[in-house]
Amino acid sequence: MKLSQNSTLEKTKKYKKVIFGCNVAILVMLGLFLFLYQTYVQKLIYEERLNQMDEVTHQMFLNLEDVMGTKWDYVQVQCNLIESTDIQTVDDLSRYMKTITDLFEDSRITLLVVDDSGKYYTEKGNQGLLRDAYHFENSPEKISYVSNFMTTNESRMVFLKKLDHPIRLQSGQLLNYYGLYQDMRELNEYFGCDAYEKNNSVYILDDNGFKQFNTNNVELIKGHNVFSVLKKMKYLHDSSFDKTERELNEKGISYSNAILEGTEYFYVLKRMDNAAWTLIFLVPAKYVATNTVRLVNLIMCFIILFAVVAAVCVITAVVTVLRKKQSEAIEIERGNNAKLETINTELTQAKQAAEQALEVASYASKSKSDFLANMSHDIRTPMNAITGITSLLEHDAGNEEKVREYAKKIDVSARHLLGIINDVLDMSKIEAGKTVFKYSDFSILELMQEIQMMFRPQAEEKHQKMVMNHDNIRHEWVNGDKVHLMQIFSNLLSNAVKYTQEGGKIQFLVEEYETKSRAYARYCFLVSDNGMGMSADFKDTIFDAFTRAESSLTNKIQGTGLGMAITKNLVEAMGGTIDVDSELGQGSCFEVLIDLKIAEDRTVALAAQEETDEQDGNILQGMRFLCAEDNELNAEILTELLKIEGAECTICENGEEILKAFEQSAPGDYDMILMDVQMPVMNGYEATKAIRRSSHELAKTIPIIAMTANAFSEDIQHSLAAGMNAHVSKPVEMTVLEKTIRSIKSGGGTEPQGIEQ
């Protein structure tokens, strides 16, 4: 009996242990299940709800974008119409807009014009100053925003486009922007959402988060600044407003989930593409994926019931979850492997890019090495000629005929050496981005005459035929950088002369093309020849710096290999294009296309000017100059050159001495001042300013000419700004100096500008 009782007790204990174990297992499984529900399942539900919001709002945003696009299409059409209409007064403008409104029969849209003073106009005339003028600060091409600047306090959507050709009214106003405005309530039909039983709220915000319009008057967010409210909300699922705002800036749209005053909300922030608006779509969480949430909760109840009845199901579920996690781990591992493959591919590409960069660098190094070798040869060649002929001059000093011949050869070599130096300096300034352009009015036909006068003698020396033609020139006078244009065509024509055989033909054609612009004219400049041409390989690199064609013919022609690179850089810096068509042995043709601003049409009496020049004769005869020159040899050369022309000069070693000499002189002692720039004690700019400020009777009127080796455009500007009348570059050519003096005496020189302080 005792054994039976003991056995029963032992079984009872075992049963209790089993029951206890089962209960513990069930509780553990339930705890584990609740844990999984709060983490994994809730995350899935959250992602499903976000996906549902994305599907619901995506079509709404597409519809809005289509509406915005339609508005912009309408604005573009209206801009094209008004630019082709003759509007002189505000009344004309009002009548025009009323006619357009009646024509399109859309009473919901009001046409709007804004002038340069911030006033806006409708078909009712001038409506006053625009409240939201800050939108126009940077003069954008297109403006779209929400405003309540009209006479009523209703929110309006505004679409404005900057006119390509602003309209100037007789009263002086300049109409810059044209477009439309429309009541924001017209868009309410796009903001309501049947999926959420219209319990959602949509706000239109500015860039700082301030409310511009509440689409359906469902006020879920109180306060004027929505961003401030969103920052204070309690965010769920490891989200935050900073993360949402960052995603908005990167992708233009962001979804999030947070709690406000005890209520859970889902919201989406969206930046519109065709309008400068930010939309927030806000809906209480209880309306988002309601059926999905109900279904999940129902399933959870059944699972809990079955888990209590059968622990095996719980264990099976755990095993299933573990297997699923294992699958996820495998997927993650596969993803990591894919990432490693991507990184390996990127490293391979980076290696290839580095090898290509090394190849490019090696090519650039070789090009510069070749350039230095060529430069060494090209500089030494004229230098050798100069030094050699100088020795011959000493030997044949008594033979006047040989002395003259030697002088001409020295002059040719010196000019060639100066050209090489100018090319290198020009290229260095272009590469440093310091090229300065000076724009002024000039005549296209006068430019052609000057080019013809410059290159016809060179062509005639080689018995070449030079043809200059122009076609369809409707706008003779333009505004541009004439000096750099001369440099461009000088480089092209100089090459044409050099690389064309004796008896060849060179053509320079200028043609004006048709264009829709009222302010700019398009010109095509063609420089062609029937010379030696170039190979296809060299044609691809002709505009690269430091490159020259290598052949038995071209190697006899000296050059730096920079001329075409300088030309291309100058053309592109002025907004133009340059192309070349060439075949070896068939000649070359260079085409330059460039737009130049149309200037006021004027006529220059060139013949009368030439007649005046001829009557003036030797204008230097009897003139007295006060000269600033700190180099003793240059001073001696200048003195002798002026003496040959019958002029006298007084040399001062620095700016301080020339200032003192001028102040101590009497009116009439000196006719002009020739001013060097780089001098010790006081430079030429400082000396000129001091002379212009002095109390001398002729301080403001005596002509001052800069005579300096500083030959860039900005140097000329500095000279004029300091108070000088003209600028002559060293080495000084007497013909250039005579022409400059004649221009100043005839009143054609530049008046001194306001002196820099």
Side-chain angles (χ1 to χ4, degrees):
M1 191 74 178
K2 287 184 178 179
L3 291 173
S4 178
Q5 289 179 347
N6 291 335
S7 176
T8 302
L9 289 173
E10 288 177 0
K11 288 182 178 180
T12 301
K13 289 180 179 179
K14 288 181 179 180
Y15 289 148
K16 287 182 178 180
K17 287 181 179 180
V18 171
I19 293 171
F20 178 78
C22 289
N23 289 332
V24 170
I26 291 172
L27 290 174
V28 170
M29 287 186 175
L30 285 174
L32 180 61
F33 182 78
L34 290 174
F35 172 76
L36 291 174
Y37 175 78
Q38 291 297 325
T39 56
Y40 184 73
V41 176
Q42 287 286 22
K43 181 180 179 182
L44 290 177
I45 294 173
Y46 172 69
E47 291 176 351
E48 179 63 26
R49 297 173 93 178
L50 286 184
N51 289 336
Q52 198 241 27
M53 272 204 69
D54 180 29
E55 293 174 0
V56 170
T57 58
H58 179 71
Q59 188 59 46
M60 182 187 77
F61 293 146
L62 286 179
N63 292 338
L64 283 174
E65 292 289 358
D66 290 341
V67 172
M68 300 301 102
T70 302
K71 302 298 181 188
W72 282 122
D73 292 341
Y74 183 88
V75 169
Q76 181 62 57
V77 170
Q78 294 303 322
C79 287
N80 294 337
L81 290 175
I82 197 172
E83 287 184 343
S84 62
T85 304
D86 184 20
I87 295 176
Q88 301 292 331
T89 65
V90 174
D91 291 337
D92 291 345
L93 179 63
S94 299
R95 284 192 294 271
Y96 170 79
M97 288 195 288
K98 188 174 188 314
T99 300
I100 294 297
T101 302
D102 294 340
L103 180 64
F104 283 85
E105 297 182 350
D106 192 346
S107 60
R108 299 174 299 172
I109 294 177
T110 302
L111 295 175
L112 178 68
V113 178
V114 181
D115 67 17
D116 55 346
S117 65
K119 295 179 180 178
Y120 67 96
Y121 307 82
T122 66
E123 65 182 39
K124 297 179 181 179
N126 185 357
Q127 300 296 303
L129 288 173
L130 199 65
R131 180 183 301 177
D132 303 294
Y134 66 91
H135 288 291
F136 301 82
E137 288 179 355
N138 296 321
S139 190
E141 291 297 323
K142 295 169 70 174
I143 304 170
S144 174
Y145 62 95
V146 178
S147 175
N148 57 357
F149 67 87
M150 306 301 167
T151 54
T152 67
N153 203 29
E154 299 172 349
S155 295
R156 307 293 178 96
M157 51 181 170
V158 180
F159 298 86
L160 290 172
K161 183 181 183 300
K162 189 175 183 181
L163 292 173
D164 293 334
H165 304 289
I167 300 172
R168 175 76 67 180
L169 301 181
Q170 289 179 350
S171 53
Q173 299 98 318
L174 185 65
L175 307 181
N176 286 335
Y177 288 88
Y178 185 54
L180 61 87
Y181 71 84
Q182 188 173 0
D183 194 329
M184 284 296 299
R185 290 175 297 183
E186 297 293 335
L187 296 180
N188 274 343
E189 63 181 288
Y190 298 98
F191 296 130
C193 187
D194 294 333
Y196 301 135
E197 301 174 0
K198 298 190 183 299
N199 289 293
N200 66 291
S201 182
V202 180
Y203 298 91
I204 306 295
L205 313 177
D206 65 11
D207 291 337
N208 297 316
F210 286 94
K211 294 179 183 177
Q212 300 295 307
F213 178 66
N214 183 2
T215 59
N216 50 9
N217 295 323
V218 178
E219 193 72 27
L220 297 180
I221 296 181
K222 299 177 181 179
H224 295 294
N225 191 298
V226 173
F227 286 175
S228 298
V229 176
L230 296 180
K231 288 180 181 178
K232 296 177 182 178
M233 294 175 74
K234 180 182 177 181
Y235 282 81
L236 306 174
H237 303 286
D238 297 325
S239 186
S240 67
F241 180 74
D242 291 338
K243 181 179 178 181
T244 301
E245 188 175 32
R246 184 166 58 253
E247 189 175 34
L248 175 65
N249 292 331
E250 292 174 356
K251 301 179 180 179
I253 188 169
S254 178
Y255 295 84
S256 196
N257 172 224
I259 296 175
L260 175 64
E261 297 179 352
T263 302
E264 183 182 357
Y265 292 92
F266 280 83
Y267 71 83
V268 54
L269 285 169
K270 165 71 174 175
R271 286 201 175 133
M272 303 301 295
D273 293 334
N274 288 321
W277 310 344
T278 299
L279 271 68
I280 178 169
F281 182 99
L282 187 77
V283 62
K286 64 181 181 180
Y287 297 106
V288 179
T290 306
N291 292 331
T292 301
V293 174
R294 289 174 181 170
L295 178 61
V296 170
N297 290 336
L298 182 61
I299 292 173
M300 289 303 301
C301 291
F302 278 107
I303 290 176
I304 292 174
L305 289 174
F306 280 105
V308 173
V309 175
V312 176
C313 295
V314 175
I315 296 172
T316 303
V318 171
V319 172
T320 302
V321 171
L322 291 175
R323 287 180 178 176
K324 193 167 186 178
K325 285 186 174 288
Q326 185 178 9
S327 298
E328 290 180 352
I330 293 173
E331 289 298 323
I332 292 173
E333 185 176 357
R334 289 176 180 173
N336 291 334
N337 291 336
K339 290 181 180 178
L340 288 175
E341 291 179 2
T342 301
I343 293 173
N344 185 48
T345 302
E346 291 176 350
L347 288 174
T348 303
Q349 293 174 346
K351 181 181 177 182
Q352 293 174 350
E355 291 174 350
Q356 292 175 355
L358 178 61
E359 183 179 349
V360 171
S362 299
Y363 177 77
S365 177
K366 182 179 183 302
S367 296
K368 291 200 174 184
S369 298
D370 294 343
F371 164 73
L372 290 175
N374 292 335
M375 284 295 299
S376 176
H377 172 268
D378 291 345
I379 290 176
R380 290 176 182 273
T381 298
M383 283 298 299
N384 181 66
I386 293 172
T387 55
I389 295 174
T390 303
S391 300
L392 293 176
L393 274 173
E394 294 178 359
H395 182 268
D396 296 325
N399 189 331
E400 182 178 349
E401 184 177 351
K402 284 192 174 184
V403 167
R404 292 182 182 276
E405 181 183 352
Y406 293 155
K408 290 181 180 178
K409 291 180 178 180
I410 288 176
D411 182 61
V412 171
S413 298
R415 290 176 186 274
H416 177 61
L417 184 60
L418 181 61
I420 293 173
I421 294 171
N422 286 338
D423 278 353
V424 174
L425 292 177
D426 282 343
M427 197 63 202
S428 67
K429 292 188 76 65
I430 288 172
E431 289 184 341
K434 295 182 178 179
T435 304
V436 176
F437 294 93
K438 180 184 178 184
Y439 294 91
S440 60
D441 293 351
F442 67 91
S443 164
I444 291 289
L445 301 183
E446 182 181 330
L447 175 71
M448 293 183 64
Q449 290 180 358
E450 293 179 9
I451 292 173
Q452 184 178 25
M453 292 173 61
M454 185 184 305
F455 286 97
R456 187 170 294 280
Q458 298 180 27
E460 289 177 350
E461 285 183 8
K462 296 183 69 174
H463 307 291
Q464 296 168 340
K465 181 180 180 181
M466 179 169 284
V467 179
M468 312 283 278
N469 287 325
H470 59 81
D471 187 23
N472 197 29
I473 303 297
R474 299 183 303 279
H475 303 95
E476 176 185 348
W477 282 88
V478 294
N479 182 274
D481 191 324
K482 181 180 178 182
V483 173
H484 282 112
L485 283 173
M486 287 287 290
Q487 185 177 1
I488 290 169
F489 302 127
S490 294
N491 284 342
L492 296 177
L493 284 167
S494 176
N495 280 354
V497 173
K498 285 194 296 183
Y499 293 106
T500 300
Q501 69 280 2
E502 290 195 8
K505 182 179 180 181
I506 298 168
Q507 290 183 301
F508 182 56
L509 170 65
V510 182
E511 181 179 359
E512 183 176 345
Y513 284 177
E514 296 288 340
T515 178
K516 296 180 180 179
S517 175
R518 299 179 182 178
Y520 287 84
R522 175 163 296 179
Y523 297 90
C524 174
F525 300 88
L526 289 177
V527 177
S528 61
D529 62 71
N530 61 352
M532 63 181 64
M534 64 188 79
S535 65
D537 291 339
F538 180 69
K539 187 173 69 172
D540 294 336
T541 62
I542 186 173
F543 295 114
D544 296 342
F546 317 125
T547 57
R548 295 196 305 185
E550 299 293 336
S551 71
S552 59
L553 294 175
T554 59
N555 288 341
K556 297 178 182 180
I557 302 174
Q558 297 178 350
T560 62
L562 294 174
M564 290 297 97
I566 292 171
T567 299
K568 181 177 177 63
N569 277 278
L570 290 177
V571 170
E572 292 181 347
M574 288 189 280
T577 61
I578 182 170
D579 292 301
V580 59
D581 184 22
S582 180
E583 291 185 19
L584 200 61
Q586 301 298 318
S588 303
C589 179
F590 289 85
E591 179 188 67
V592 175
L593 279 176
I594 194 166
D595 292 341
L596 296 172
K597 189 175 182 181
I598 300 170
E600 181 184 355
D601 193 18
R602 293 176 294 181
T603 304
V604 178
L606 295 174
Q609 181 64 43
E610 291 174 1
E611 182 179 351
T612 303
D613 293 348
E614 292 175 0
Q615 292 175 356
D616 287 341
N618 184 3
I619 198 168
L620 295 176
Q621 181 69 40
M623 291 189 67
R624 293 181 295 278
F625 295 92
L626 182 59
C627 305
E629 178 58 70
D630 63 318
N631 185 283
E632 185 177 347
L633 180 59
N634 287 345
E636 181 180 346
I637 293 172
L638 178 61
T639 302
E640 292 301 322
L641 289 175
L642 290 174
K643 186 183 294 184
I644 292 172
E645 300 296 332
E648 300 177 0
C649 69
T650 300
I651 302 294
C652 298
E653 294 184 355
N654 56 60
E656 189 175 89
E657 288 188 11
I658 201 168
L659 173 62
K660 187 183 297 182
F662 173 73
E663 289 180 337
Q664 293 175 356
S665 68
D669 286 354
Y670 302 110
D671 299 303
M672 287 189 185
I673 298 176
L674 303 180
M675 182 71 72
D676 193 6
V677 172
Q678 292 188 355
M679 295 182 295
V681 184
M682 179 186 288
N683 63 39
Y685 299 140
E686 295 169 344
T688 300
K689 294 174 187 177
I691 288 173
R692 295 302 188 199
R693 289 194 298 263
S694 71
S695 59
H696 194 281
E697 182 180 341
L698 301 179
K700 307 296 184 185
T701 58
I702 188 168
I704 303 177
I705 300 176
M707 186 176 290
T708 173
N710 299 341
F712 291 113
S713 299
E714 59 266 35
D715 300 317
I716 298 174
Q717 287 296 99
H718 289 162
S719 299
L720 299 178
M724 303 187 198
N725 300 76
H727 182 284
V728 176
S729 301
K730 289 183 179 178
V732 177
E733 296 185 33
M734 293 308 293
T735 55
V736 176
L737 179 60
E738 290 174 7
K739 183 177 179 181
T740 303
I741 293 173
R742 181 175 287 108
S743 176
I744 292 174
K745 282 193 170 185
S746 64
T750 304
E751 292 295 329
Q753 299 179 11
I755 299 174
E756 295 176 341
Q757 298 300 321

